[in-house]
Every structure is written in C-alpha cells, then in structure tokens.
Amino acid sequence: LSTASANAKRSGKKGKGAAPERRAVDERLAAVLKGHEGPVLDACCAEGRFVLSVSSDRTMRLWDRAHLLEKDHRSTRLNIPLDNASRVTVSPDGTYAFAVLASKQVAIIRVRKPCSKGPRMQIGKTFPTEHTDVEIGGICVTNDLKYSVTCGSGEEIHLLDNKAGSCIYKTPSRQMSNHMLAMTGLGDMLG
C-alpha cells in the first residue's frame, strides 16, 4: 500500500519535486494499492476475496480482489469519525472486520458483498477495551464471532465478549511484552 502518489497529487508536484513512486523489486508483487493519504498502519486479507487496510488518515479501505490487477484500483472507503484504527482483522467468513481504534476501543464493522444494497462497510458497534496505558498490538476473532482477543504492549491478553461489549477474562503472559497475536484455524489462541 503506497501513499507516494497521493502525496504528489495533493501537493500538485510533478517531476523532480514529486515524491518518488515505489517500484516493485519483486516480480511476484501483483499491485501497489494507492489511496490512503497517511501511513498505512495495518492490513489483512479475507480468504483472498478482499484486502482491508487502515491508516492514520482516519480511514479504512476495502480493496476487492477482482480489481487488484486493474490500472486504477477501486476501493471502498470508510471514514472513522474522530479516531483512527491502528489494527484490523477480518472474521473467517469475511462478513465482519474488527478494528482497534486509537481511543482503545474495538469497532465491529459489517462488510457486505459488492452487489448488496446499502453501504459496503458500516460501523455497527464499538466498545472499550480494558488495556490501560499500553498500545494494543493485536486483535483476533474466534471462528464463531462470539469473542475477540486483544493483546497490549504490556503483559496482559484480554478475551472480549463481542455481543456484551466487555472484557470477560484477562490473562497475564507472565513473560514479556506482547506485540502480536494470532488465532489458529481451530480458534486456538497463540500469543
């Protein structure tokens, strides 16, 4: 995901003063997605159907796989009011995105198919996490969508009830700071 061309367009510069466009050094790279006006903070993929990205420009973008090889990549933009997302993950079935906001809240975003009526992405629910004074480094969701798990740069991992919108369990890692979290296909947590 690149912001170089967006910055050059915004500044109106061409040629020497324009931000250099990043070129693929690896032939396996299919496309460079452009559109965010700020740094991309996180991105994830939903079973090869689409890519979600979040940026400090307070937007989330959804990039359809069908349009990735086109010259002008089409994306759906979701503005995140008065906040920005720092982490994002998508449900196993691709119908929901879970984003960690800078205000230490979790936002559940409904993702619809391109041909359905209504907005493609819509924020459905937000609820606070109980991480205090730490950066939330990761978020995962269980296969049944009932729970999400967050880890902060501190030592705690939190299990959240998505329906109730609350933390139901905290566990210390008893080792060191956590910066990443992953969930296996069976819904088991890896910290």
Side-chain angles (χ1 to χ4, degrees):
L1 302 173
S2 172
T3 59
S5 66
N7 292 338
K9 284 180 189 174
R10 202 172 343 113
S11 65
K13 294 181 181 178
K14 300 233 182 225
K16 284 185 180 179
E21 188 143 344
R22 296 184 184 137
R23 297 282 177 213
V25 266
D26 189 344
E27 287 118 26
R28 295 176 291 178
L29 181 65
V32 176
L33 305 176
K34 301 173 186 174
H36 284 294
E37 295 178 6
V40 173
L41 302 174
D42 199 14
C44 65
C45 183
E47 297 283 327
R49 294 187 337 217
F50 58 83
V51 174
L52 280 174
S53 59
V54 292
S55 169
S56 64
D57 65 4
R58 298 189 343 207
T59 64
M60 176 183 285
R61 287 193 180 262
L62 184 143
W63 312 82
D64 280 309
R65 179 177 179 234
H67 305 294
L68 288 181
L69 298 179
E70 294 176 5
K71 184 176 179 181
D72 294 322
H73 304 101
R74 288 186 267 164
S75 67
T76 302
R77 175 183 168 149
L78 173 69
N79 293 325
I80 301 172
L82 305 174
D83 210 342
N84 72 284
S86 59
R87 299 282 178 242
V88 66
T89 191
V90 67
S91 63
D93 62 358
T95 57
Y96 290 93
F98 292 77
V100 174
L101 305 180
S103 60
K104 295 190 181 6
Q105 294 190 65
V106 172
I108 301 175
I109 296 126
R110 175 81 168 124
V111 180
R112 292 186 174 88
K113 292 183 179 179
C115 57
S116 63
K117 293 181 181 178
R120 182 81 198 269
M121 291 188 298
Q122 185 174 15
I123 297 176
K125 181 179 191 175
T126 60
F127 55 90
T129 66
E130 294 187 18
H131 291 282
T132 57
D133 301 331
V134 296
E135 179 184 341
I136 298 174
I139 183 168
C140 291
V141 62
T142 58
N143 290 343
D144 59 7
L145 305 178
K146 289 182 181 178
Y147 306 104
S148 52
V149 183
T150 58
C151 73
S153 56
E155 294 181 3
E156 288 187 336
I157 296 173
H158 294 186
L159 178 65
L160 308 170
D161 183 333
N162 293 330
K163 187 173 184 180
S166 62
C167 179
I168 58 173
Y169 186 72
K170 298 178 192 178
T171 180
S173 65
R174 292 192 177 97
Q175 294 177 2
M176 60 183 86
S177 298
N178 299 298
H179 297 283
M180 188 174 227
L181 186 71
M183 191 83 63
T184 68
L186 301 173
D188 298 327
M189 181 181 63
L190 305 172

